[in-house]
Every structure is written in C-alpha cells, then in structure tokens.
Amino acid sequence: MKTLPRLSASCSHIAAAALFYIRESQKLDDYREFFRSFYTSAVDDVAVSRTFETREEADAWLAHGDAKENERVKIAGQGFQVIPARKGGGWRFLRSPLPEELMKEHECCPPSAH
C-alpha cells in the first residue's frame, strides 16, 4: 500500500486524500455513480417545456407570443432560456446548456479509463 506524505488538516488536503483513497482502492466507478446520484435532484429540476428541431421553428414559436419569461426550451439538442428582448418588446433566446449537456462536457474520463 502506498503512503501519503504528512499533510496538514486543511479541507483541500482532506478532500485530496479522500479522492486518492477512492482511486487507489479501485472504487472510482462507485464514486462516480454516487456523485451522479447526489446531484440528480438538481438535474430533475430543469424542465424543458418545448423541443424544436430547428432554430427557425423555435423563432417562429417565439414570434407567435406564447413564450413565458425564463421558460426552458431545447433547440436542435441544445438548451435555451426565454428572456426579454433588449430593445422593444418581445422575447429572445439565451443559450443555457441543459444538465445533460453539462454532464457530457464535464465527464472527466470514461468508466473504462482507469
């Protein structure tokens, strides 16, 4: 078994040692599953009200006037939020990645990479 150098008991050192232990004990896959389940409720709170295949379809819906402020939509697989237009009335889309997009972007390594 490997030994760690003596560390002060700061929070970052404790966290680093815990992650080192998880990796060394070959429990990284278990930790990934725990981490995902820990944040599942935050992911579930993001509700997409409409899905559009193209930006043109989404823009037509937005121009129709049925949108509500802060409504979340998916356009061509990407998340957006409805916000007030900068000038004049109406609405516009603000790019707001959905949780599944962020999870794909920030996966540190595939499960088989250990």
Side-chain angles (χ1 to χ4, degrees):
M1 180 172 181
K2 295 181 182 179
T3 59
L4 287 172
R6 192 92 175 142
L7 300 173
S8 65
S10 73
C11 290
S12 60
H13 289 133
I14 292 168
L19 291 173
F20 183 76
Y21 172 79
I22 290 167
R23 188 183 75 194
E24 289 299 307
S25 64
Q26 297 184 357
K27 299 288 186 183
L28 192 54
D29 289 334
D30 293 340
Y31 175 73
R32 279 192 194 111
E33 188 59 36
F34 167 77
F35 187 81
R36 286 184 183 125
S37 69
F38 188 74
Y39 285 101
T40 299
S41 62
V43 170
D44 292 342
D45 288 342
V46 177
V48 174
S49 64
R50 308 232 183 219
T51 300
F52 302 97
E53 293 296 319
T54 66
R55 180 64 185 245
E56 291 76 22
E57 289 175 30
D59 287 338
W61 171 77
L62 198 62
H64 191 263
D66 292 335
K68 295 177 181 74
E69 188 168 0
N70 297 321
E71 192 167 359
R72 299 294 299 260
V73 299
K74 186 187 276 190
I75 304 170
Q78 296 184 322
F80 291 84
Q81 186 173 3
V82 175
I83 63 170
R86 288 188 183 146
K87 295 180 180 178
W91 305 104
R92 67 184 181 104
F93 291 116
L94 172 67
R95 178 74 171 101
S96 299
L98 297 168
E100 64 259 22
E101 292 177 83
L102 295 173
M103 290 173 77
K104 283 181 189 176
E105 277 180 28
H106 297 292
E107 263 192 30
C108 67
C109 44
S112 61
H114 58 280

PDB file of all heavy atoms in Angstrom, residues 49-52 54-64 67-68 70-75 78-86 90-96:
ATOM      1  N   SER A  49     -39.884  22.902 -21.617  1.00  0.00           N
ATOM      2  CA  SER A  49     -41.301  22.989 -21.968  1.00  0.00           C
ATOM      3  C   SER A  49     -41.583  22.651 -23.429  1.00  0.00           C
ATOM      4  O   SER A  49     -42.660  22.170 -23.760  1.00  0.00           O
ATOM      5  CB  SER A  49     -41.836  24.386 -21.663  1.00  0.00           C
ATOM      6  OG  SER A  49     -41.187  25.333 -22.487  1.00  0.00           O
ATOM      7  N   ARG A  50     -40.613  22.902 -24.297  1.00  0.00           N
ATOM      8  CA  ARG A  50     -40.796  22.652 -25.730  1.00  0.00           C
ATOM      9  C   ARG A  50     -39.482  22.189 -26.344  1.00  0.00           C
ATOM     10  O   ARG A  50     -38.411  22.594 -25.906  1.00  0.00           O
ATOM     11  CB  ARG A  50     -41.213  23.925 -26.457  1.00  0.00           C
ATOM     12  CG  ARG A  50     -42.393  24.618 -25.840  1.00  0.00           C
ATOM     13  CD  ARG A  50     -43.417  24.876 -26.871  1.00  0.00           C
ATOM     14  NE  ARG A  50     -44.506  25.599 -26.231  1.00  0.00           N
ATOM     15  CZ  ARG A  50     -45.750  25.378 -26.501  1.00  0.00           C
ATOM     16  NH1 ARG A  50     -46.079  24.482 -27.377  1.00  0.00           N
ATOM     17  NH2 ARG A  50     -46.704  26.055 -25.907  1.00  0.00           N
ATOM     18  N   THR A  51     -39.600  21.388 -27.384  1.00  0.00           N
ATOM     19  CA  THR A  51     -38.441  20.924 -28.132  1.00  0.00           C
ATOM     20  C   THR A  51     -38.663  21.244 -29.606  1.00  0.00           C
ATOM     21  O   THR A  51     -39.738  20.984 -30.140  1.00  0.00           O
ATOM     22  CB  THR A  51     -38.244  19.406 -27.952  1.00  0.00           C
ATOM     23  OG1 THR A  51     -38.057  19.145 -26.552  1.00  0.00           O
ATOM     24  CG2 THR A  51     -37.039  18.900 -28.719  1.00  0.00           C
ATOM     25  N   PHE A  52     -37.637  21.823 -30.213  1.00  0.00           N
ATOM     26  CA  PHE A  52     -37.705  22.209 -31.629  1.00  0.00           C
ATOM     27  C   PHE A  52     -36.552  21.565 -32.375  1.00  0.00           C
ATOM     28  O   PHE A  52     -35.432  21.504 -31.867  1.00  0.00           O
ATOM     29  CB  PHE A  52     -37.613  23.731 -31.779  1.00  0.00           C
ATOM     30  CG  PHE A  52     -38.692  24.474 -31.036  1.00  0.00           C
ATOM     31  CD1 PHE A  52     -38.435  24.994 -29.775  1.00  0.00           C
ATOM     32  CD2 PHE A  52     -39.945  24.653 -31.594  1.00  0.00           C
ATOM     33  CE1 PHE A  52     -39.412  25.682 -29.072  1.00  0.00           C
ATOM     34  CE2 PHE A  52     -40.935  25.338 -30.898  1.00  0.00           C
ATOM     35  CZ  PHE A  52     -40.676  25.851 -29.641  1.00  0.00           C
ATOM     36  N   THR A  54     -35.356  22.743 -35.280  1.00  0.00           N
ATOM     37  CA  THR A  54     -34.518  23.790 -35.892  1.00  0.00           C
ATOM     38  C   THR A  54     -34.707  25.128 -35.180  1.00  0.00           C
ATOM     39  O   THR A  54     -35.720  25.352 -34.498  1.00  0.00           O
ATOM     40  CB  THR A  54     -34.880  24.002 -37.374  1.00  0.00           C
ATOM     41  OG1 THR A  54     -36.210  24.523 -37.458  1.00  0.00           O
ATOM     42  CG2 THR A  54     -34.766  22.709 -38.178  1.00  0.00           C
ATOM     43  N   ARG A  55     -33.748  26.006 -35.376  1.00  0.00           N
ATOM     44  CA  ARG A  55     -33.839  27.359 -34.819  1.00  0.00           C
ATOM     45  C   ARG A  55     -34.987  28.132 -35.472  1.00  0.00           C
ATOM     46  O   ARG A  55     -35.652  28.932 -34.814  1.00  0.00           O
ATOM     47  CB  ARG A  55     -32.496  28.082 -35.021  1.00  0.00           C
ATOM     48  CG  ARG A  55     -32.442  29.498 -34.501  1.00  0.00           C
ATOM     49  CD  ARG A  55     -32.615  29.520 -32.976  1.00  0.00           C
ATOM     50  NE  ARG A  55     -32.694  30.859 -32.460  1.00  0.00           N
ATOM     51  CZ  ARG A  55     -31.792  31.401 -31.661  1.00  0.00           C
ATOM     52  NH1 ARG A  55     -30.743  30.716 -31.273  1.00  0.00           N
ATOM     53  NH2 ARG A  55     -31.950  32.632 -31.225  1.00  0.00           N
ATOM     54  N   GLU A  56     -35.240  27.875 -36.748  1.00  0.00           N
ATOM     55  CA  GLU A  56     -36.329  28.550 -37.447  1.00  0.00           C
ATOM     56  C   GLU A  56     -37.675  28.234 -36.797  1.00  0.00           C
ATOM     57  O   GLU A  56     -38.514  29.118 -36.619  1.00  0.00           O
ATOM     58  CB  GLU A  56     -36.337  28.166 -38.941  1.00  0.00           C
ATOM     59  CG  GLU A  56     -35.166  28.711 -39.731  1.00  0.00           C
ATOM     60  CD  GLU A  56     -33.848  27.965 -39.499  1.00  0.00           C
ATOM     61  OE1 GLU A  56     -33.877  26.786 -39.055  1.00  0.00           O
ATOM     62  OE2 GLU A  56     -32.794  28.570 -39.736  1.00  0.00           O
ATOM     63  N   GLU A  57     -37.905  26.957 -36.455  1.00  0.00           N
ATOM     64  CA  GLU A  57     -39.148  26.564 -35.776  1.00  0.00           C
ATOM     65  C   GLU A  57     -39.267  27.284 -34.432  1.00  0.00           C
ATOM     66  O   GLU A  57     -40.339  27.773 -34.069  1.00  0.00           O
ATOM     67  CB  GLU A  57     -39.173  25.055 -35.515  1.00  0.00           C
ATOM     68  CG  GLU A  57     -39.338  24.196 -36.735  1.00  0.00           C
ATOM     69  CD  GLU A  57     -39.231  22.717 -36.370  1.00  0.00           C
ATOM     70  OE1 GLU A  57     -39.581  22.331 -35.234  1.00  0.00           O
ATOM     71  OE2 GLU A  57     -38.796  21.944 -37.241  1.00  0.00           O
ATOM     72  N   ALA A  58     -38.166  27.339 -33.691  1.00  0.00           N
ATOM     73  CA  ALA A  58     -38.171  27.985 -32.377  1.00  0.00           C
ATOM     74  C   ALA A  58     -38.428  29.483 -32.504  1.00  0.00           C
ATOM     75  O   ALA A  58     -39.203  30.054 -31.731  1.00  0.00           O
ATOM     76  CB  ALA A  58     -36.842  27.731 -31.670  1.00  0.00           C
ATOM     77  N   ASP A  59     -37.806  30.120 -33.477  1.00  0.00           N
ATOM     78  CA  ASP A  59     -38.012  31.553 -33.680  1.00  0.00           C
ATOM     79  C   ASP A  59     -39.459  31.863 -34.067  1.00  0.00           C
ATOM     80  O   ASP A  59     -40.024  32.872 -33.627  1.00  0.00           O
ATOM     81  CB  ASP A  59     -37.058  32.091 -34.759  1.00  0.00           C
ATOM     82  CG  ASP A  59     -35.620  32.187 -34.272  1.00  0.00           C
ATOM     83  OD1 ASP A  59     -35.392  32.250 -33.033  1.00  0.00           O
ATOM     84  OD2 ASP A  59     -34.711  32.211 -35.132  1.00  0.00           O
ATOM     85  N   ALA A  60     -40.078  31.000 -34.861  1.00  0.00           N
ATOM     86  CA  ALA A  60     -41.480  31.193 -35.240  1.00  0.00           C
ATOM     87  C   ALA A  60     -42.375  31.092 -34.008  1.00  0.00           C
ATOM     88  O   ALA A  60     -43.296  31.902 -33.822  1.00  0.00           O
ATOM     89  CB  ALA A  60     -41.888  30.166 -36.291  1.00  0.00           C
ATOM     90  N   TRP A  61     -42.112  30.122 -33.141  1.00  0.00           N
ATOM     91  CA  TRP A  61     -42.877  29.985 -31.893  1.00  0.00           C
ATOM     92  C   TRP A  61     -42.683  31.206 -31.012  1.00  0.00           C
ATOM     93  O   TRP A  61     -43.636  31.740 -30.446  1.00  0.00           O
ATOM     94  CB  TRP A  61     -42.443  28.719 -31.168  1.00  0.00           C
ATOM     95  CG  TRP A  61     -42.996  28.576 -29.788  1.00  0.00           C
ATOM     96  CD1 TRP A  61     -44.262  28.188 -29.455  1.00  0.00           C
ATOM     97  CD2 TRP A  61     -42.327  28.841 -28.557  1.00  0.00           C
ATOM     98  NE1 TRP A  61     -44.416  28.186 -28.080  1.00  0.00           N
ATOM     99  CE2 TRP A  61     -43.225  28.584 -27.513  1.00  0.00           C
ATOM    100  CE3 TRP A  61     -41.035  29.266 -28.239  1.00  0.00           C
ATOM    101  CZ2 TRP A  61     -42.884  28.738 -26.173  1.00  0.00           C
ATOM    102  CZ3 TRP A  61     -40.690  29.413 -26.915  1.00  0.00           C
ATOM    103  CH2 TRP A  61     -41.618  29.153 -25.898  1.00  0.00           C
ATOM    104  N   LEU A  62     -41.449  31.678 -30.907  1.00  0.00           N
ATOM    105  CA  LEU A  62     -41.141  32.846 -30.084  1.00  0.00           C
ATOM    106  C   LEU A  62     -41.871  34.088 -30.611  1.00  0.00           C
ATOM    107  O   LEU A  62     -42.436  34.865 -29.832  1.00  0.00           O
ATOM    108  CB  LEU A  62     -39.627  33.075 -30.077  1.00  0.00           C
ATOM    109  CG  LEU A  62     -39.041  33.938 -28.988  1.00  0.00           C
ATOM    110  CD1 LEU A  62     -39.289  33.338 -27.620  1.00  0.00           C
ATOM    111  CD2 LEU A  62     -37.541  34.111 -29.214  1.00  0.00           C
ATOM    112  N   ALA A  63     -41.895  34.255 -31.912  1.00  0.00           N
ATOM    113  CA  ALA A  63     -42.563  35.407 -32.527  1.00  0.00           C
ATOM    114  C   ALA A  63     -44.076  35.347 -32.351  1.00  0.00           C
ATOM    115  O   ALA A  63     -44.745  36.392 -32.332  1.00  0.00           O
ATOM    116  CB  ALA A  63     -42.218  35.475 -34.016  1.00  0.00           C
ATOM    117  N   HIS A  64     -44.626  34.165 -32.181  1.00  0.00           N
ATOM    118  CA  HIS A  64     -46.070  33.993 -32.018  1.00  0.00           C
ATOM    119  C   HIS A  64     -46.563  34.581 -30.705  1.00  0.00           C
ATOM    120  O   HIS A  64     -47.730  34.931 -30.554  1.00  0.00           O
ATOM    121  CB  HIS A  64     -46.432  32.507 -32.121  1.00  0.00           C
ATOM    122  CG  HIS A  64     -47.896  32.264 -32.233  1.00  0.00           C
ATOM    123  ND1 HIS A  64     -48.680  31.950 -31.147  1.00  0.00           N
ATOM    124  CD2 HIS A  64     -48.718  32.295 -33.306  1.00  0.00           C
ATOM    125  CE1 HIS A  64     -49.928  31.805 -31.541  1.00  0.00           C
ATOM    126  NE2 HIS A  64     -49.980  31.988 -32.845  1.00  0.00           N
ATOM    127  N   ALA A  67     -44.534  32.437 -25.564  1.00  0.00           N
ATOM    128  CA  ALA A  67     -43.448  32.162 -24.618  1.00  0.00           C
ATOM    129  C   ALA A  67     -43.641  32.907 -23.299  1.00  0.00           C
ATOM    130  O   ALA A  67     -44.306  33.941 -23.248  1.00  0.00           O
ATOM    131  CB  ALA A  67     -42.116  32.570 -25.235  1.00  0.00           C
ATOM    132  N   LYS A  68     -43.052  32.341 -22.257  1.00  0.00           N
ATOM    133  CA  LYS A  68     -43.073  32.969 -20.928  1.00  0.00           C
ATOM    134  C   LYS A  68     -41.633  33.195 -20.486  1.00  0.00           C
ATOM    135  O   LYS A  68     -40.749  32.400 -20.804  1.00  0.00           O
ATOM    136  CB  LYS A  68     -43.780  32.068 -19.922  1.00  0.00           C
ATOM    137  CG  LYS A  68     -45.249  31.863 -20.220  1.00  0.00           C
ATOM    138  CD  LYS A  68     -45.852  30.887 -19.216  1.00  0.00           C
ATOM    139  CE  LYS A  68     -47.305  30.638 -19.512  1.00  0.00           C
ATOM    140  NZ  LYS A  68     -47.552  29.790 -20.659  1.00  0.00           N
ATOM    141  N   ASN A  70     -38.221  33.102 -18.711  1.00  0.00           N
ATOM    142  CA  ASN A  70     -37.440  32.039 -18.084  1.00  0.00           C
ATOM    143  C   ASN A  70     -37.830  30.628 -18.515  1.00  0.00           C
ATOM    144  O   ASN A  70     -37.316  29.653 -17.973  1.00  0.00           O
ATOM    145  CB  ASN A  70     -37.457  32.138 -16.564  1.00  0.00           C
ATOM    146  CG  ASN A  70     -36.829  33.411 -16.082  1.00  0.00           C
ATOM    147  OD1 ASN A  70     -35.821  33.860 -16.635  1.00  0.00           O
ATOM    148  ND2 ASN A  70     -37.413  34.022 -15.081  1.00  0.00           N
ATOM    149  N   GLU A  71     -38.729  30.502 -19.465  1.00  0.00           N
ATOM    150  CA  GLU A  71     -39.104  29.181 -19.975  1.00  0.00           C
ATOM    151  C   GLU A  71     -37.886  28.530 -20.618  1.00  0.00           C
ATOM    152  O   GLU A  71     -37.091  29.195 -21.282  1.00  0.00           O
ATOM    153  CB  GLU A  71     -40.223  29.358 -21.002  1.00  0.00           C
ATOM    154  CG  GLU A  71     -40.909  28.099 -21.408  1.00  0.00           C
ATOM    155  CD  GLU A  71     -42.200  28.370 -22.187  1.00  0.00           C
ATOM    156  OE1 GLU A  71     -42.571  29.539 -22.393  1.00  0.00           O
ATOM    157  OE2 GLU A  71     -42.825  27.376 -22.582  1.00  0.00           O
ATOM    158  N   ARG A  72     -37.721  27.231 -20.392  1.00  0.00           N
ATOM    159  CA  ARG A  72     -36.583  26.494 -20.950  1.00  0.00           C
ATOM    160  C   ARG A  72     -37.049  25.686 -22.145  1.00  0.00           C
ATOM    161  O   ARG A  72     -38.073  25.005 -22.089  1.00  0.00           O
ATOM    162  CB  ARG A  72     -35.993  25.547 -19.905  1.00  0.00           C
ATOM    163  CG  ARG A  72     -35.449  26.215 -18.664  1.00  0.00           C
ATOM    164  CD  ARG A  72     -34.236  27.099 -18.916  1.00  0.00           C
ATOM    165  NE  ARG A  72     -33.120  26.376 -19.462  1.00  0.00           N
ATOM    166  CZ  ARG A  72     -32.080  25.953 -18.766  1.00  0.00           C
ATOM    167  NH1 ARG A  72     -31.994  26.208 -17.485  1.00  0.00           N
ATOM    168  NH2 ARG A  72     -31.106  25.298 -19.356  1.00  0.00           N
ATOM    169  N   VAL A  73     -36.289  25.774 -23.244  1.00  0.00           N
ATOM    170  CA  VAL A  73     -36.595  25.026 -24.459  1.00  0.00           C
ATOM    171  C   VAL A  73     -35.326  24.341 -24.968  1.00  0.00           C
ATOM    172  O   VAL A  73     -34.212  24.725 -24.602  1.00  0.00           O
ATOM    173  CB  VAL A  73     -37.188  25.937 -25.569  1.00  0.00           C
ATOM    174  CG1 VAL A  73     -38.494  26.569 -25.116  1.00  0.00           C
ATOM    175  CG2 VAL A  73     -36.201  26.990 -26.014  1.00  0.00           C
ATOM    176  N   LYS A  74     -35.535  23.354 -25.812  1.00  0.00           N
ATOM    177  CA  LYS A  74     -34.419  22.658 -26.453  1.00  0.00           C
ATOM    178  C   LYS A  74     -34.532  22.889 -27.949  1.00  0.00           C
ATOM    179  O   LYS A  74     -35.591  22.629 -28.546  1.00  0.00           O
ATOM    180  CB  LYS A  74     -34.467  21.169 -26.136  1.00  0.00           C
ATOM    181  CG  LYS A  74     -33.257  20.409 -26.651  1.00  0.00           C
ATOM    182  CD  LYS A  74     -33.408  18.907 -26.471  1.00  0.00           C
ATOM    183  CE  LYS A  74     -33.004  18.485 -25.096  1.00  0.00           C
ATOM    184  NZ  LYS A  74     -32.928  16.999 -24.979  1.00  0.00           N
ATOM    185  N   ILE A  75     -33.455  23.389 -28.541  1.00  0.00           N
ATOM    186  CA  ILE A  75     -33.426  23.654 -29.974  1.00  0.00           C
ATOM    187  C   ILE A  75     -32.257  22.872 -30.568  1.00  0.00           C
ATOM    188  O   ILE A  75     -31.101  23.115 -30.199  1.00  0.00           O
ATOM    189  CB  ILE A  75     -33.245  25.158 -30.275  1.00  0.00           C
ATOM    190  CG1 ILE A  75     -34.335  25.984 -29.587  1.00  0.00           C
ATOM    191  CG2 ILE A  75     -33.233  25.400 -31.782  1.00  0.00           C
ATOM    192  CD1 ILE A  75     -34.094  27.489 -29.633  1.00  0.00           C
ATOM    193  N   GLN A  78     -29.857  21.545 -28.054  1.00  0.00           N
ATOM    194  CA  GLN A  78     -29.217  22.477 -27.127  1.00  0.00           C
ATOM    195  C   GLN A  78     -30.254  23.235 -26.314  1.00  0.00           C
ATOM    196  O   GLN A  78     -31.333  23.547 -26.814  1.00  0.00           O
ATOM    197  CB  GLN A  78     -28.350  23.484 -27.882  1.00  0.00           C
ATOM    198  CG  GLN A  78     -27.181  22.858 -28.601  1.00  0.00           C
ATOM    199  CD  GLN A  78     -26.315  23.909 -29.245  1.00  0.00           C
ATOM    200  OE1 GLN A  78     -26.802  24.893 -29.770  1.00  0.00           O
ATOM    201  NE2 GLN A  78     -25.006  23.692 -29.209  1.00  0.00           N
ATOM    202  N   GLY A  79     -29.910  23.556 -25.057  1.00  0.00           N
ATOM    203  CA  GLY A  79     -30.819  24.254 -24.168  1.00  0.00           C
ATOM    204  C   GLY A  79     -30.758  25.761 -24.318  1.00  0.00           C
ATOM    205  O   GLY A  79     -29.684  26.338 -24.537  1.00  0.00           O
ATOM    206  N   PHE A  80     -31.918  26.388 -24.186  1.00  0.00           N
ATOM    207  CA  PHE A  80     -32.044  27.842 -24.238  1.00  0.00           C
ATOM    208  C   PHE A  80     -33.076  28.277 -23.213  1.00  0.00           C
ATOM    209  O   PHE A  80     -33.946  27.501 -22.812  1.00  0.00           O
ATOM    210  CB  PHE A  80     -32.499  28.314 -25.628  1.00  0.00           C
ATOM    211  CG  PHE A  80     -31.467  28.136 -26.699  1.00  0.00           C
ATOM    212  CD1 PHE A  80     -31.319  26.922 -27.348  1.00  0.00           C
ATOM    213  CD2 PHE A  80     -30.622  29.178 -27.047  1.00  0.00           C
ATOM    214  CE1 PHE A  80     -30.358  26.738 -28.327  1.00  0.00           C
ATOM    215  CE2 PHE A  80     -29.656  29.017 -28.030  1.00  0.00           C
ATOM    216  CZ  PHE A  80     -29.525  27.786 -28.666  1.00  0.00           C
ATOM    217  N   GLN A  81     -32.984  29.535 -22.817  1.00  0.00           N
ATOM    218  CA  GLN A  81     -33.938  30.134 -21.893  1.00  0.00           C
ATOM    219  C   GLN A  81     -34.562  31.340 -22.572  1.00  0.00           C
ATOM    220  O   GLN A  81     -33.887  32.078 -23.289  1.00  0.00           O
ATOM    221  CB  GLN A  81     -33.208  30.558 -20.622  1.00  0.00           C
ATOM    222  CG  GLN A  81     -34.098  31.069 -19.536  1.00  0.00           C
ATOM    223  CD  GLN A  81     -33.309  31.313 -18.261  1.00  0.00           C
ATOM    224  OE1 GLN A  81     -32.099  31.154 -18.198  1.00  0.00           O
ATOM    225  NE2 GLN A  81     -34.015  31.700 -17.224  1.00  0.00           N
ATOM    226  N   VAL A  82     -35.857  31.540 -22.363  1.00  0.00           N
ATOM    227  CA  VAL A  82     -36.558  32.684 -22.935  1.00  0.00           C
ATOM    228  C   VAL A  82     -36.354  33.878 -22.008  1.00  0.00           C
ATOM    229  O   VAL A  82     -36.614  33.799 -20.807  1.00  0.00           O
ATOM    230  CB  VAL A  82     -38.069  32.388 -23.091  1.00  0.00           C
ATOM    231  CG1 VAL A  82     -38.815  33.616 -23.566  1.00  0.00           C
ATOM    232  CG2 VAL A  82     -38.287  31.206 -24.038  1.00  0.00           C
ATOM    233  N   ILE A  83     -35.862  34.982 -22.592  1.00  0.00           N
ATOM    234  CA  ILE A  83     -35.666  36.212 -21.818  1.00  0.00           C
ATOM    235  C   ILE A  83     -36.203  37.391 -22.615  1.00  0.00           C
ATOM    236  O   ILE A  83     -36.388  37.294 -23.827  1.00  0.00           O
ATOM    237  CB  ILE A  83     -34.174  36.436 -21.455  1.00  0.00           C
ATOM    238  CG1 ILE A  83     -33.323  36.614 -22.707  1.00  0.00           C
ATOM    239  CG2 ILE A  83     -33.649  35.289 -20.593  1.00  0.00           C
ATOM    240  CD1 ILE A  83     -31.902  37.066 -22.418  1.00  0.00           C
ATOM    241  N   PRO A  84     -36.465  38.543 -21.947  1.00  0.00           N
ATOM    242  CA  PRO A  84     -36.954  39.711 -22.679  1.00  0.00           C
ATOM    243  C   PRO A  84     -35.935  40.197 -23.711  1.00  0.00           C
ATOM    244  O   PRO A  84     -34.720  40.124 -23.483  1.00  0.00           O
ATOM    245  CB  PRO A  84     -37.143  40.772 -21.584  1.00  0.00           C
ATOM    246  CG  PRO A  84     -37.258  39.991 -20.311  1.00  0.00           C
ATOM    247  CD  PRO A  84     -36.408  38.775 -20.503  1.00  0.00           C
ATOM    248  N   ALA A  85     -36.449  40.684 -24.831  1.00  0.00           N
ATOM    249  CA  ALA A  85     -35.582  41.250 -25.865  1.00  0.00           C
ATOM    250  C   ALA A  85     -34.924  42.521 -25.329  1.00  0.00           C
ATOM    251  O   ALA A  85     -35.485  43.217 -24.485  1.00  0.00           O
ATOM    252  CB  ALA A  85     -36.385  41.549 -27.120  1.00  0.00           C
ATOM    253  N   ARG A  86     -33.744  42.829 -25.804  1.00  0.00           N
ATOM    254  CA  ARG A  86     -33.003  44.005 -25.314  1.00  0.00           C
ATOM    255  C   ARG A  86     -33.702  45.313 -25.665  1.00  0.00           C
ATOM    256  O   ARG A  86     -33.796  46.201 -24.851  1.00  0.00           O
ATOM    257  CB  ARG A  86     -31.592  44.008 -25.881  1.00  0.00           C
ATOM    258  CG  ARG A  86     -30.723  42.967 -25.267  1.00  0.00           C
ATOM    259  CD  ARG A  86     -29.299  43.134 -25.728  1.00  0.00           C
ATOM    260  NE  ARG A  86     -28.500  42.051 -25.162  1.00  0.00           N
ATOM    261  CZ  ARG A  86     -27.492  41.487 -25.766  1.00  0.00           C
ATOM    262  NH1 ARG A  86     -27.135  41.896 -26.967  1.00  0.00           N
ATOM    263  NH2 ARG A  86     -26.827  40.523 -25.179  1.00  0.00           N
ATOM    264  N   GLY A  90     -41.198  41.881 -26.710  1.00  0.00           N
ATOM    265  CA  GLY A  90     -40.956  40.534 -27.213  1.00  0.00           C
ATOM    266  C   GLY A  90     -39.904  39.787 -26.420  1.00  0.00           C
ATOM    267  O   GLY A  90     -39.479  40.208 -25.344  1.00  0.00           O
ATOM    268  N   TRP A  91     -39.488  38.671 -26.999  1.00  0.00           N
ATOM    269  CA  TRP A  91     -38.589  37.749 -26.327  1.00  0.00           C
ATOM    270  C   TRP A  91     -37.428  37.383 -27.225  1.00  0.00           C
ATOM    271  O   TRP A  91     -37.478  37.539 -28.430  1.00  0.00           O
ATOM    272  CB  TRP A  91     -39.336  36.467 -25.944  1.00  0.00           C
ATOM    273  CG  TRP A  91     -40.564  36.714 -25.129  1.00  0.00           C
ATOM    274  CD1 TRP A  91     -41.857  36.668 -25.561  1.00  0.00           C
ATOM    275  CD2 TRP A  91     -40.625  37.058 -23.751  1.00  0.00           C
ATOM    276  NE1 TRP A  91     -42.713  36.956 -24.531  1.00  0.00           N
ATOM    277  CE2 TRP A  91     -41.977  37.192 -23.397  1.00  0.00           C
ATOM    278  CE3 TRP A  91     -39.662  37.262 -22.764  1.00  0.00           C
ATOM    279  CZ2 TRP A  91     -42.404  37.519 -22.123  1.00  0.00           C
ATOM    280  CZ3 TRP A  91     -40.076  37.587 -21.484  1.00  0.00           C
ATOM    281  CH2 TRP A  91     -41.437  37.708 -21.171  1.00  0.00           C
ATOM    282  N   ARG A  92     -36.392  36.832 -26.589  1.00  0.00           N
ATOM    283  CA  ARG A  92     -35.264  36.274 -27.323  1.00  0.00           C
ATOM    284  C   ARG A  92     -34.766  35.047 -26.567  1.00  0.00           C
ATOM    285  O   ARG A  92     -35.164  34.817 -25.428  1.00  0.00           O
ATOM    286  CB  ARG A  92     -34.147  37.296 -27.511  1.00  0.00           C
ATOM    287  CG  ARG A  92     -33.445  37.701 -26.235  1.00  0.00           C
ATOM    288  CD  ARG A  92     -32.405  38.796 -26.516  1.00  0.00           C
ATOM    289  NE  ARG A  92     -31.702  39.180 -25.326  1.00  0.00           N
ATOM    290  CZ  ARG A  92     -30.455  38.816 -25.025  1.00  0.00           C
ATOM    291  NH1 ARG A  92     -29.772  38.073 -25.862  1.00  0.00           N
ATOM    292  NH2 ARG A  92     -29.892  39.212 -23.910  1.00  0.00           N
ATOM    293  N   PHE A  93     -33.895  34.276 -27.210  1.00  0.00           N
ATOM    294  CA  PHE A  93     -33.326  33.089 -26.583  1.00  0.00           C
ATOM    295  C   PHE A  93     -31.939  33.400 -26.028  1.00  0.00           C
ATOM    296  O   PHE A  93     -31.131  34.046 -26.678  1.00  0.00           O
ATOM    297  CB  PHE A  93     -33.209  31.936 -27.591  1.00  0.00           C
ATOM    298  CG  PHE A  93     -34.530  31.373 -28.020  1.00  0.00           C
ATOM    299  CD1 PHE A  93     -34.942  31.465 -29.344  1.00  0.00           C
ATOM    300  CD2 PHE A  93     -35.353  30.723 -27.110  1.00  0.00           C
ATOM    301  CE1 PHE A  93     -36.150  30.931 -29.747  1.00  0.00           C
ATOM    302  CE2 PHE A  93     -36.568  30.187 -27.505  1.00  0.00           C
ATOM    303  CZ  PHE A  93     -36.968  30.292 -28.826  1.00  0.00           C
ATOM    304  N   LEU A  94     -31.690  32.897 -24.849  1.00  0.00           N
ATOM    305  CA  LEU A  94     -30.374  32.959 -24.231  1.00  0.00           C
ATOM    306  C   LEU A  94     -29.865  31.528 -24.131  1.00  0.00           C
ATOM    307  O   LEU A  94     -30.553  30.656 -23.592  1.00  0.00           O
ATOM    308  CB  LEU A  94     -30.457  33.578 -22.830  1.00  0.00           C
ATOM    309  CG  LEU A  94     -29.179  33.537 -21.996  1.00  0.00           C
ATOM    310  CD1 LEU A  94     -28.110  34.442 -22.624  1.00  0.00           C
ATOM    311  CD2 LEU A  94     -29.459  33.970 -20.571  1.00  0.00           C
ATOM    312  N   ARG A  95     -28.681  31.281 -24.660  1.00  0.00           N
ATOM    313  CA  ARG A  95     -28.111  29.928 -24.599  1.00  0.00           C
ATOM    314  C   ARG A  95     -27.885  29.548 -23.141  1.00  0.00           C
ATOM    315  O   ARG A  95     -27.180  30.219 -22.404  1.00  0.00           O
ATOM    316  CB  ARG A  95     -26.777  29.908 -25.366  1.00  0.00           C
ATOM    317  CG  ARG A  95     -26.066  28.572 -25.329  1.00  0.00           C
ATOM    318  CD  ARG A  95     -26.749  27.550 -26.231  1.00  0.00           C
ATOM    319  NE  ARG A  95     -25.890  26.374 -26.320  1.00  0.00           N
ATOM    320  CZ  ARG A  95     -26.087  25.254 -25.628  1.00  0.00           C
ATOM    321  NH1 ARG A  95     -27.113  25.130 -24.818  1.00  0.00           N
ATOM    322  NH2 ARG A  95     -25.261  24.241 -25.760  1.00  0.00           N
ATOM    323  N   SER A  96     -28.529  28.486 -22.703  1.00  0.00           N
ATOM    324  CA  SER A  96     -28.443  27.990 -21.326  1.00  0.00           C
ATOM    325  C   SER A  96     -28.343  26.472 -21.391  1.00  0.00           C
ATOM    326  O   SER A  96     -29.357  25.784 -21.488  1.00  0.00           O
ATOM    327  CB  SER A  96     -29.679  28.387 -20.519  1.00  0.00           C
ATOM    328  OG  SER A  96     -29.800  29.778 -20.440  1.00  0.00           O
TER     329      SER A  96
END
